[in-house]
Each structure stands twice: as C-alpha cells, then as structure tokens.
C-alpha cells in the first residue's frame, strides 16, 4: 500500500520508447516525444492549458476543521478534522510534510501538504511547472480545471487533473500558494473511478489551507505607543 501512495504522490518517471501520437480522453491529439515530453497537435487545444479563470466565490475551512498542522518551512498550514482524517506516518518525500488518509472511506481518498523553498514568480508560472512535471512523468494527463480562488483570505491556484501512471488512474484536486520564500500545496486525490464520490471530502480537506497564525498576526496587528508608566504611590 505504501508503494501505491508513493507512486500517486511522486508520479515516478516513465520513458517513451519513440515519438508517437495519441489521443487524450476528450479526443485531443498529442505528440509524445522519446524524452517523455509531449505537446498538443492543435494550437487551440494548447491554449486551453494557458487559461486560468477567476472564481469570485470565497472559500473557507470547515467548522469541523479544528486542528492546524503548520509547515516547518513556510508560514502556511492546513486545518483538518481529526475525526475525519488521519495523519499517516510514512515518509513519502522530503517535500511532503503531511500525508492524510480518510478514516471513513474504505474506497480511499488521500491528501498531502507539500512545501518547497523555491522562489516562483507567479501562480501562472507555478501552474506551468506543475503541468510540465506531471505530464512528463505519466502515461496520460488531462487538465480538467484551473482557476484563481480566495481561500481563507489567501489568493491561491486551484488545479484539478487526471493522470494515469503504470496502469493506475488517479484524479487530483489541490490549492497552491506562493510567497517570497517558496510555495505550498494542499492536494487531495483518489482513484479516478471513485473521485466524484470522494470529492466533497477532498474539497473539505484542501479548503483547510491557511496562513499560519504567526503570519496572520503579523499582518493584522496595529502597533501603538505603549501607555505611560504608572506612578508608584
């Protein structure tokens, strides 16, 4: 089971034997290169990957998400419901700080928070890096949604995509945040077959992404002059 977790999170490299053409799930034609990269045949399909819409709804953590796990690298954390989610102990990756399993769902929905101290200029740049990295390391990749959202007062990038690697189909949904120190992502996933039925639980988990209290206070406290000392009687 740990190997499946690791495979789903890291999307281990696969090498294509030769350049070939293939069809995506929704009928778009792509060219697969022997170095593991790919591109769309039609430019109009490529433009779809470049579009990021803005969702004007405000997203907030669940009332039941009472426990905060803070990042050890960035001023970011994730609130979660400990009755719903269990923290796993396995070491998936040096960039994955926390890994979650759904206590109530035997079909398997999972999540993780990853952080890395790599400076990235914009969320759009981060999207391009994520797509390039994932698509290079899987047999099949399909971007389903990408949009800017405001979650717990943070501007984040939402990405939902499907991927097949080593014969296994997974679907992912996650929020990504950047600051001057690096980036953080809170991502939920499950098998693609069960993703829709697990989506509410996954959405609840990723909605827990938040600035850590230290950063929240530093941005909201107003400093004033101290009161004069009291005179002793």
């Amino acid at each position: 089971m740990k190997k499946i977790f690791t495979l789903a999170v890291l999307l281990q490299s696969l090498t294509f034997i030769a350049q070939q053409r293939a069809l995506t799930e929704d009928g778009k034609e792509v060219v697969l290169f022997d170095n593991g990269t790919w591109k769309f045949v039609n430019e109009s399909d490529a433009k779809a990957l470049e579009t990021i819409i803005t969702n004007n709804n405000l997203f907030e953590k669940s009332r039941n998400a009472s426990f905060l796990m803070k990042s050890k690298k960035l001023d970011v954390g994730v609130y979660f419901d400990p009755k719903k989610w269990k923290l796993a102990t396995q070491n998936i990756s040096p960039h994955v700080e926390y890994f979650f399993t759904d206590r109530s769902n035997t079909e398997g929905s999972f999540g993780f928070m990853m952080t890395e101290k790599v400076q990235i200029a914009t969320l759009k740049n981060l999207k391009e890096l994520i797509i390039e990295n994932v698509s290079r390391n899987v047999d099949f990749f399909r971007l389903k949604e990408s949009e800017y959202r405001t979650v717990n007062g943070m501007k984040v990038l939402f990405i939902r995509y499907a991927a097949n690697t080593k014969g296994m189909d997974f679907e992912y949904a996650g929020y990504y945040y950047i600051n001057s120190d690096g980036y953080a992502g809170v991502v939920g996933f499950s098998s693609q077959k069960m993703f829709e039925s697990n989506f509410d639980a996954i959405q609840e988990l990723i909605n827990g992404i938040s600035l850590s209290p230290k950063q929240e206070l530093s941005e909201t406290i107003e400093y004033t002059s101290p009161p004069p000392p009291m005179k002793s009687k």
Side-chain angles (χ1 to χ4, degrees):
M1 184 65 70
K2 180 178 178 180
K3 290 182 179 179
I4 295 177
F5 292 158
T6 304
L7 184 66
V9 175
L10 299 182
L11 298 174
Q12 296 174 359
S13 298
L14 299 175
T15 302
F16 296 103
I17 297 174
Q19 179 177 332
Q20 54 186 309
R21 292 197 176 198
L23 290 176
T24 66
E25 186 180 86
D26 51 353
K28 295 180 173 59
E29 191 174 10
V30 296
V31 176
L32 308 177
F33 298 98
D34 56 7
N35 64 355
T37 62
W38 60 273
K39 71 174 183 179
F40 284 108
V41 173
N42 298 315
E43 291 185 4
S44 60
D45 294 334
K47 289 180 180 179
L49 284 179
E50 299 176 1
T51 303
I52 306 177
I53 65 172
T54 297
N55 188 325
N56 292 318
N57 294 317
L58 300 180
F59 296 83
E60 297 180 343
K61 66 182 180 67
S62 166
R63 293 181 179 179
N64 296 324
S66 58
F67 200 90
L68 172 64
M69 294 301 298
K70 298 180 183 179
S71 167
K72 298 178 179 65
K73 302 176 184 178
L74 305 175
D75 290 332
V76 182
V78 55
Y79 284 93
F80 72 101
D81 180 357
K83 295 181 179 179
K84 176 71 174 177
W85 295 93
K86 178 181 177 181
L87 274 174
T89 57
Q90 58 261 41
N91 183 16
I92 300 296
S93 160
H95 302 310
V96 174
E97 294 197 56
Y98 306 113
F99 190 85
F100 302 90
T101 57
D102 189 341
R103 293 178 183 272
S104 63
N105 193 335
T106 57
E107 294 294 339
S109 55
F110 310 95
F112 57 91
M113 186 176 86
M114 63 183 301
T115 55
E116 192 170 0
K117 286 199 167 185
V118 175
Q119 292 186 347
I120 299 173
T122 67
L123 289 172
K124 185 176 185 298
N125 294 145
L126 180 57
K127 174 191 172 182
E128 292 167 353
L129 290 171
I130 291 169
I131 291 175
E132 179 182 356
N133 181 69
V134 174
S135 60
R136 184 173 58 238
N137 292 295
V138 298
D139 290 315
F140 170 83
F141 171 84
R142 180 189 176 194
L143 179 67
K144 291 193 168 183
E145 293 181 73
S146 64
E147 58 186 32
Y148 297 119
R149 291 184 179 183
T150 300
V151 184
N152 300 315
M154 303 168 64
K155 182 179 179 180
V156 300
L157 172 68
F158 172 74
I159 298 180
R160 178 175 172 179
Y161 65 89
N164 175 287
T165 182
K166 296 189 182 298
M168 292 182 288
D169 291 307
F170 296 102
E171 191 155 339
Y172 301 77
Y175 291 135
Y176 297 87
Y177 168 78
I178 59 174
N179 62 20
S180 58
D181 294 323
Y183 77 92
V186 177
V187 182
F189 71 95
S190 74
S191 68
Q192 189 172 23
K193 179 181 178 181
M194 298 303 301
F195 189 84
E196 289 298 336
S197 59
N198 293 335
F199 184 70
D200 286 345
I202 289 172
Q203 180 78 56
E204 180 180 299
L205 176 67
I206 66 176
N207 278 349
I209 189 171
S210 304
L211 298 176
S212 66
K214 178 181 178 182
Q215 184 165 339
E216 290 174 347
L217 290 174
S218 68
E219 293 181 351
T220 58
I221 289 179
E222 295 182 3
Y223 293 94
T224 58
S225 301
M230 296 182 64
K231 295 181 179 179
S232 59
K233 294 180 179 180

